[in-house]
Amino acid sequence: MATASTTLAVVLFIVVIASISVVQNAADATHSYEQMEQSADYIIYKNEGSTLAKNGITGNIDFSSINATYVIQSAVNAGGNVYLKEGTYVLDWNINITRSSTIMSGAGAGTVLYLEDGYSVASKNPWQPATIRVGNSQGGASNVVLRDFTINGNAAGQIGGAAAIGVYKSYNCLIENVYIH
């Protein structure tokens, strides 16, 4: 007999498979990290314990905090192309992508989204438990790209499990070279 959490995982898996394309061969990637950074609307990076989001057009620091989730979410909410430089970004909440045509990319496996100890995606958002969510129960997002970073779920430090990436009511999404631990 399936439990509620087992049923949720199966439904989530089916939704994700039906809604995304996954590029499995890293050699097929035709972009460079330098090009991605130069074309970014926001460049996220670490500096002396803080996470900053530099506006790629004005060069101004639009968002800055010791809370990486706040900075990344603020840049994603602004929309466009968000580039995360190499580094470890500790998350204390989901990253929610609800704007179409958002690109969130990193500098490869060395760009790590790391779930803090005691993090429980399911308890913070039981209806859509995922570290990165594309779309939500109110609506989806189209043409979203997630590429070139690592999600480290920090399994040893967690209360419960959830999906690394959830795609809800969304279409034309691409996940490329995302490493999940």
Side-chain angles (χ1 to χ4, degrees), residues 15-23 97-104 132-136 139-147 165-176 178:
V15 170
V16 169
I17 293 302
S19 302
I20 62 171
S21 300
V22 178
V23 175
I97 301 172
T98 57
R99 292 181 66 135
S100 292
S101 301
T102 297
I103 299 170
M104 189 168 117
I132 298 176
R133 296 183 326 181
V134 178
N136 59 33
S142 62
N143 303 312
V144 171
V145 176
L146 303 173
R147 72 161 50 117
I165 299 171
V167 179
Y168 308 93
K169 298 182 180 182
S170 299
Y171 60 93
N172 248 8
C173 297
L174 174 67
I175 300 172
E176 178 180 55
V178 175

Side-chain angles (χ1 to χ4, degrees), residues 1-170:
M1 172 183 250
T3 65
S5 62
T6 303
T7 304
L8 177 61
V10 171
V11 170
L12 182 60
F13 179 74
I14 291 168
V15 170
V16 169
I17 293 302
S19 302
I20 62 171
S21 300
V22 178
V23 175
Q24 296 179 0
N25 186 350
D28 291 340
T30 58
H31 54 274
S32 76
Y33 302 134
E34 184 176 300
Q35 290 170 330
M36 288 191 297
E37 182 175 346
Q38 291 172 353
S39 65
D41 295 302
Y42 281 97
I43 301 153
I44 311 289
Y45 62 98
K46 304 291 288 182
N47 186 18
E48 297 180 13
S50 290
T51 302
L52 298 95
K54 181 172 105 175
N55 186 307
I57 297 167
T58 67
N60 295 329
I61 303 299
D62 287 354
F63 310 106
S64 175
S65 176
I66 59 170
N67 185 316
T69 308
Y70 165 78
V71 174
I72 296 167
Q73 186 65 60
S74 296
V76 165
N77 289 347
N81 183 348
V82 178
Y83 177 75
L84 291 90
K85 288 185 140 192
E86 189 170 313
T88 299
Y89 302 89
V90 178
L91 301 181
D92 66 353
W93 197 259
N94 322 56
I95 300 297
N96 302 298
I97 301 172
T98 57
R99 292 181 66 135
S100 292
S101 301
T102 297
I103 299 170
M104 189 168 117
S105 59
T111 300
V112 179
L113 302 179
Y114 183 88
L115 298 183
E116 71 177 359
D117 283 344
Y119 181 91
S120 174
V121 175
S123 70
K124 292 184 181 200
N125 194 337
W127 299 109
Q128 298 168 341
T131 304
I132 298 176
R133 296 183 326 181
V134 178
N136 59 33
S137 59
Q138 288 77 44
S142 62
N143 303 312
V144 171
V145 176
L146 303 173
R147 72 161 50 117
D148 297 316
F149 58 87
T150 297
I151 298 173
N152 184 330
N154 179 21
Q158 299 315 312
I159 298 166
I165 299 171
V167 179
Y168 308 93
K169 298 182 180 182
S170 299

